[in-house]
Amino acid sequence: MSKIKPEDLDSIGEKIKRTMLLREGSCRVKIIVHMGTCGIAAGARNVMKALTEEIEKADAKDVQLTISSCAGLCSNEPMVTIEQKDQPAVKYVDLNDEKAREIFSRHVMGGKIMSEYALAAGSERTL
Amino acid sequence: MPHITNVMICTCTNCISNSALDIRDSLESEIKRRELEDDVLVVPTGASGLCVNGPILIVQPEGIFYQHLKTKDIPNLVEEHFLKGRPVKSLMYVPPGQDSPIPELRSIPFFKDQRLIALRNRGLIDPDSIDEYIARDGYKALAKVVTSMKPEAVIKEISDSGLRGRGGAGFPTGRKWESRRKDPRTPKYVVCNADEGDPGAFMDRSIIEADPHSVIEGMAIGAYAVGASSGYVYLRMEYPLAVKRMQLSIEKAREYGLLGEDILGLGFDFDLQIFKGAGAFVCGETTALVASIEGKIPEPRQRPPRTTLWEKPVVINNVETWANVPVIVNWGAKWFSQIGTETSKGTKVFSLAGNINNAGLVEVPMGITLREIVYNIGGGIPKGKQFKAVQTGGPSGGFIPASLLDLRVDYEQLDAAGSMMGSGGMVVMDENTCMVEMARYFVDFTNDESCGKCTSCREGSLALLQILQRICRGEGREGDVELLEELAEAIKDASQCGLGQSLSNPVLSSLKHFREEYEEHVKNKRCPAGVCKALITFDIDKEKCTGCRLCAKKCPQDAITGEAKEPHVIDQEKCIKCGVCVDVCKFEAVSIT
Ligand SMILES: Cc1cc2nc3c(=O)[nH]c(=O)nc-3n(C[C@H](O)[C@H](O)[C@H](O)COP(=O)(O)O)c2cc1C
């Protein structure tokens, strides 16, 4: 990456927004594992590992696995957010590797939200 | 008067072809019929993204999502939701393949009252991706100030916003920058204080782990405003993930030309490095912090003269303070200053811990009450126990009792209650917490962390600790409470830095609000909360005990005996008062007296 100019901020932003919002591109679902210190301490690495394995096993090329930070509710980590095209994001709480695998097969691949493990849908109020 | 509720109706081509305009008309006439025009405003919007489920309504501020609407649904919807405040479940968004809708995130109490400014990107972006930060308006504020604002104008914006330091003392940030700008000496420095030493506090760690670029951008803006060309992030070594993410982000920003020479090609030079702190609490104090960076013994110095780094001007701000800066530049001082109270603007991040159902990190507007934080956001006290106190401000702060739960959180109100905002640690305590023991805990901490320079702090904290220890051991003497008070005041008066000046606060505030608990320990040798081991005994209630033998099996001392199905007894000689029997008993047969 070469050094950027002020006007480059918008184009970088646009490019990334497209993949972040899943409007375009090959990605159908984005899985975010919340990996703050709290999440990691509660077992987020196992969740991450399980999801990586499942994606490989299913050869799911349209699923993007990424990380983010603590989602705020540290007492209910590990947490995972699942974003799908044209749908509010779903947050899952108190996960372990088994639950993560279940969510992968039923929600990510099967399109069925698992209300047993889900906390809520949507996003927080920012600014 | 602004409307309480906004109803956003999607009027994209798709929804219009699904009769969105009829729905709009029907909504408006129903709202009028119910005389709700002053409360509810109907706002036509562009495509909401879910238009395959159209026509769609989004009700703000709750963020409730209605879909597949028909005109015949509207009268009922208006009556139930807008008049009676009961959202209509049957019309709400139902995730695919689902029988009942899962709640909207913003309707969940934990998230509902939060407002994210410093934590605007938490959970949304990959902290290691500078591109994702940029996509959420990252570095736009830096570009804005360097291309179009004079340093004085930046400082004025920050001053007008009312931003005050989030690291504890609440000093006005703009005023601090102004004084460093005027200092003729060069080079100048900016420093981010990420030493975060308060027990129970994890705000600054979380901000850096979640969004390191927000801090970097804030610091670059500050550097531009005061005329600094280099800076340090003073980050404690015990935060390895934060260190790693910050390091990576600094490198990325350099690669993009957002740090280093000729930033954004606009001729502004600023670079940043991490200085790893070794975890001494006192290093968070500004003069000790600079001494630490200079490679000297981190002992606080007398102020004035103003704190310098290598005898040059330095701006030291807290992590959260820096993270607020880009938002203020982007959104303006006026916007920011509308949030909060008269004297305290914006939001504050708190780490909510202790005896609370939803432990975690919360960002709330200043002026919210403690009750709202503890009960709405925190979800109250586990196991239905009574709230006893909330501790804010860490070892420099104090305890706030139940009678002050309606206190509005701002710098002045917390000070007036004998506590302080501090950096944002908030530890909730239930009825089984002994306040004498808590005061002892904090004094133990500060005694350990005192740098030892001032006798009043070094020896005074030890003397306080010894008195508190003997009260907890049941050896409190007549006059100890008065002695604590006198000593606490003397330490306050005679110490040089904030550590010594405030270490008495946990003692003084617990005395102020829970004096009778001290008296019980000293006079009657009782610990009302059932915590201080020397003052309590464990007994098994013969009526309640079923003889299940569980406690006898779990007791690490084999102090519990009894036949199966017969009441058990505790051998007081052997009992070490660990409390395991209380925890395992399913019949509440073990009592503490
Ligand atoms: C003993 C002691 C420890 C402190 N620890 C911290 C700390 O960990 N982080 C912090 O930002 N400020 C800490 N402070 C406050 C700083 O001295 C200083 O006020 C603050 O960093 C200024 O930044 P602000 O104006 O943005 O709050 C501490 C103060 C004292 C007396």
Side-chain angles (χ1 to χ4, degrees):
Chain A
M1 182 77 202
S2 58
K3 310 227 166 192
I4 60 175
K5 301 258 172 312
E7 56 275 19
D8 298 332
L9 291 171
D10 279 333
S11 51
I12 294 173
E14 275 313 308
K15 193 179 93 212
I16 294 301
K17 250 179 220 159
R18 261 180 260 135
T19 48
M20 277 174 87
L21 299 176
L22 309 169
R23 282 226 190 92
E24 279 175 27
S26 57
C27 173
R28 178 180 58 86
V29 189
K30 178 165 156 185
I31 310 178
I32 302 170
V33 181
H34 295 277
M35 296 265 246
T37 292
C38 48
I40 292 172
R45 286 217 173 94
N46 290 342
V47 169
M48 188 79 185
K49 194 161 150 262
L51 290 168
T52 315
E53 286 170 11
E54 290 301 316
I55 290 174
E56 259 171 42
K57 237 193 289 171
D59 196 21
K61 296 210 171 56
D62 54 355
V63 177
Q64 185 195 353
L65 183 63
T66 172
I67 65 154
S68 188
S69 55
C70 164
L73 199 53
C74 310
S75 51
N76 293 75
E77 295 280 0
M79 287 174 71
V80 161
T81 302
I82 297 195
E83 293 179 4
Q84 243 169 316
K85 214 169 164 172
D86 296 342
Q87 281 176 26
V90 177
K91 280 206 163 53
Y92 288 103
V93 287
D94 297 316
L95 298 183
N96 56 27
D97 48 347
E98 266 166 45
K99 289 186 193 170
R101 285 179 208 278
E102 222 178 316
I103 290 167
F104 181 82
S105 69
R106 297 195 32 208
H107 183 169
V108 177
M109 301 307 283
K112 192 166 155 45
I113 292 175
M114 298 197 63
S115 46
E116 308 94 288
Y117 307 146
L119 171 75
S123 57
E124 288 184 77
R125 175 172 191 193
T126 54
L127 305 178
Chain B
M1 222 189 75
H3 296 82
I4 301 167
T5 305
N6 283 335
V7 187
M8 327 295 274
I9 177 157
C10 179
T11 49
C12 72
T13 330
N14 196 349
C15 289
I16 287 179
S17 70
N18 275 323
S19 327
L21 296 180
D22 298 341
I23 303 277
R24 184 198 57 193
D25 296 344
S26 156
L27 263 174
E28 279 175 348
S29 68
E30 270 309 303
I31 287 168
K32 205 167 193 165
R33 195 167 73 80
R34 300 277 181 188
E35 294 176 12
L36 292 167
E37 305 106 294
D38 291 341
D39 296 337
V40 186
L41 181 70
V42 180
V43 188
T45 64
S48 67
L50 254 176
C51 306
V52 285
N53 299 337
I56 280 171
L57 285 187
I58 301 171
V59 183
Q60 299 290 19
E62 304 104 302
I64 290 173
F65 211 99
Y66 291 116
Q67 60 170 8
H68 293 310
L69 293 172
K70 309 235 170 356
T71 10
K72 69 171 174 36
D73 299 328
I74 301 301
N76 181 41
L77 181 80
V78 170
E79 176 176 340
E80 283 295 310
H81 191 152
F82 304 138
L83 195 65
K84 298 183 183 160
R86 295 193 296 234
V88 183
K89 272 205 161 172
S90 61
L91 298 173
M92 270 155 74
Y93 168 76
V94 182
Q98 204 66 41
D99 308 328
S100 63
I102 57 172
E104 218 287 332
L105 191 77
R106 286 185 212 180
S107 68
I108 293 181
F110 180 78
F111 294 103
K112 194 170 102 243
D113 298 324
Q114 294 198 49
R115 181 154 186 190
L116 307 184
I117 295 178
L119 287 166
R120 57 196 173 278
N121 289 327
R122 81 142 166 230
L124 286 174
I125 65 167
D126 176 351
D128 293 341
S129 162
I130 190 170
D131 289 348
E132 291 195 11
Y133 178 70
I134 290 173
R136 293 194 35 90
D137 290 340
Y139 289 106
K140 284 216 177 124
L142 178 62
K144 177 174 168 185
V145 300
V146 185
T147 51
S148 66
M149 286 172 85
K150 289 217 160 63
E152 294 80 4
V154 180
I155 293 179
K156 182 165 187 316
E157 198 70 20
I158 298 298
S159 295
D160 290 351
S161 76
L163 178 66
R164 294 170 65 176
R166 302 297 195 237
F171 191 83
T173 306
R175 208 191 313 159
K176 186 186 283 184
W177 291 13
E178 173 80 26
S179 68
R180 306 308 191 270
R181 164 142 200 93
K182 286 194 178 137
D183 194 321
R185 293 170 293 180
T186 53
K188 300 179 187 183
Y189 300 94
V190 292
V191 171
C192 171
N193 188 346
D195 194 48
E196 195 165 54
D198 293 9
F202 49 90
M203 305 74 52
D204 295 343
R205 169 174 65 70
S206 297
I207 293 173
I208 294 178
E209 285 179 7
D211 199 12
H213 288 288
S214 66
V215 177
I216 298 174
E217 186 181 4
M219 292 182 77
I221 293 168
Y224 175 79
V226 301
S229 52
S230 58
Y232 292 92
V233 181
Y234 191 96
L235 184 47
R236 62 190 293 134
M237 211 162 60
E238 291 96 327
Y239 285 172
L241 188 61
V243 171
K244 191 172 131 216
R245 288 189 178 160
M246 182 53 86
Q247 187 61 45
L248 191 89
S249 301
I250 290 174
E251 284 161 20
K252 270 281 166 201
R254 252 186 229 138
E255 212 179 285
Y256 272 42
L258 294 162
L259 282 178
E261 283 175 13
D262 195 21
I263 287 174
L264 288 160
L266 297 166
F268 165 54
D269 302 339
F270 172 67
D271 210 347
L272 197 54
Q273 67 187 84
I274 296 176
F275 189 98
K276 281 190 233 165
F281 177 61
V282 76
C283 287
E285 195 277 338
T286 51
T287 61
L289 187 147
V290 291
S292 168
I293 296 179
E294 289 169 352
K296 299 185 183 136
I297 295 172
E299 281 177 352
R301 297 187 291 227
Q302 186 72 45
R303 285 188 296 178
R306 186 176 290 147
T307 311
T308 54
L309 179 57
W310 290 302
E311 291 170 18
K312 303 292 181 189
V314 58
V315 170
I316 302 177
N317 277 127
N318 168 262
V319 175
E320 190 184 334
T321 315
W322 288 121
N324 271 293
V325 168
V327 183
I328 295 171
V329 169
N330 274 335
W331 286 68
K334 191 158 173 233
W335 170 82
F336 189 81
S337 65
Q338 280 165 354
I339 307 165
T341 67
E342 194 56 42
T343 58
S344 310
K345 302 300 186 187
T347 56
K348 180 76 195 82
V349 181
F350 289 101
S351 49
L352 201 52
N355 305 126
I356 186 94
N357 279 317
N358 302 329
L361 198 71
V362 306
E363 181 169 356
V364 288
M366 297 274 192
I368 191 171
T369 65
L370 286 169
R371 186 185 302 282
E372 287 170 293
I373 298 181
V374 172
Y375 286 95
N376 298 359
I377 297 179
I381 318 297
K383 299 183 191 148
K385 288 194 181 160
Q386 287 288 318
F387 169 92
K388 184 161 183 178
V390 54
Q391 210 279 346
T392 68
S396 318
F399 304 95
I400 300 172
S403 59
L404 294 177
L405 264 176
D406 290 309
L407 187 110
R408 295 203 171 275
V409 172
D410 76 5
Y411 292 98
E412 281 67 27
Q413 299 264 338
L414 287 171
D415 275 353
S419 186
M420 66 188 282
M421 180 78 80
S423 56
M426 196 174 266
V427 184
V428 179
M429 292 157 189
D430 71 12
E431 56 190 290
N432 299 129
T433 313
C434 170
M435 301 319 275
V436 186
E437 161 58 25
M438 282 318 301
R440 187 206 60 77
Y441 169 83
F442 281 109
V443 173
D444 195 6
F445 176 86
T446 34
N447 172 247
D448 215 26
E449 295 290 347
S450 169
C451 79
K453 188 178 180 187
C454 306
T455 315
S456 55
C457 173
R458 183 185 68 237
E459 301 300 327
S461 61
L462 183 63
L464 276 184
L465 180 62
Q466 285 168 344
I467 300 170
L468 290 164
Q469 282 170 335
R470 75 171 176 248
I471 296 179
C472 290
R473 276 200 311 267
E475 294 160 16
R477 304 169 198 156
E478 188 79 23
D480 267 357
V481 175
E482 292 73 16
L483 184 57
L484 276 177
E485 236 163 4
E486 193 184 341
L487 195 56
E489 293 292 354
I491 296 170
K492 241 182 168 164
D493 291 342
S495 302
Q496 193 178 64
C497 86
L499 195 155
Q501 285 160 8
S502 64
L503 74 85
S504 303
N505 284 351
V507 177
L508 289 171
S509 76
S510 56
L511 274 171
K512 178 171 171 187
H513 300 298
F514 301 94
R515 197 182 184 95
E516 67 295 342
E517 211 167 319
Y518 280 85
E519 307 279 355
E520 275 297 299
H521 280 75
V522 175
K523 296 211 174 89
N524 302 330
K525 309 293 175 218
R526 267 190 74 239
C527 174
V531 173
C532 296
K533 285 188 182 173
L535 304 180
I536 54 174
T537 49
F538 289 73
D539 286 299
I540 297 176
D541 184 334
K542 285 192 183 60
E543 304 293 311
K544 288 185 182 162
C545 179
T546 63
C548 74
R549 298 213 41 83
L550 192 57
C551 60
K553 277 190 203 136
K554 296 283 177 189
C555 176
Q557 292 299 97
D558 290 328
I560 305 180
T561 50
E563 295 297 315
K565 302 212 172 82
E566 297 290 330
H568 284 39
V569 281
I570 301 176
D571 181 343
Q572 298 298 342
E573 294 290 301
K574 284 188 186 167
C575 176
I576 54 166
K577 299 166 187 176
C578 66
V580 166
C581 49
V582 182
D583 293 340
V584 299
C585 181
K586 297 193 177 80
F587 310 97
E588 291 180 15
V590 187
S591 61
I592 306 171
T593 43

